[in-house]
Amino acid sequence: APLGIPPLHLLVDPRRAARGRRDVEMVLAKPAGDPVVDHRPHKGDRAAFETELIRTIDAAEPDILCLAGFMRILTEGFTGHYAGRMLNIHPSLLPKYRGLHTHARAIEAGDTVAGCTVHEVTAELDGGPILGQARVPVRPDDTPETLAARVLTQEHRLYPEALRRFALGDRTRFDLPTG
Ligand code: NHR
């Protein structure tokens, strides 16, 4: 591990995995084909889905969980189980635009700056402590898609840096320099 951090084990994105998108499963220390938890058989029962998710994740004994594109709202049973060791990257400058459709909302509001945030996941949706942010300009001709692509390049810079700091025990907030 280049940063002196043990490799990540697995992250389960049931929605995309169910579509056959193995690339977003982020299986780093285990071969592809690991068990993936599908939320759909648990329709209407988040607790049952999360119980299965916890069993799957805990088998890998992870130190830190990193959500990336994880689209199911988590109950406090789950967030409590992983309290203090679960991160998420969200495509807005929190506390602006919690929830979905962040780029469309930033454009609609006339914002000239947008970006992304890595935060700790708590029971409060997109409301946990902010660890780091990165900014991008919003161009006058941006669509949600062109803005999303610009923000994504910063997500790829921000998340490793936020994880590096967090794994070293540094929870002070930082801004990624532009460039
Ligand atoms: N759960 C908790 N408790 N706290 C957070 O901070 C969470 C969370 C679950 C996911 C990621 C978040 C994002 O980065 C995240 C943070 C999905 C929804 C949502 O509305 C909201 C926020 C995020 C992810 N999900 C719908 C649901 O009913 C489903 C939407 C869909 O399938 O398209 O779970 O944006």
Side-chain angles (χ1 to χ4, degrees), residues 74-93:
L74 297 162
T75 73
E76 58 191 51
F78 192 93
T79 58
H81 186 79
Y82 296 109
R85 51 193 183 115
M86 178 160 50
L87 311 184
N88 177 49
I89 188 158
H90 181 78
S92 79
L93 295 172

Side-chain angles (χ1 to χ4, degrees), residues 22-39:
R22 305 214 69 84
D23 57 322
V24 295
E25 284 173 63
M26 246 177 82
V27 178
L28 300 185
K30 295 188 160 197
D34 277 339
V36 167
V37 179
D38 187 347
H39 71 86

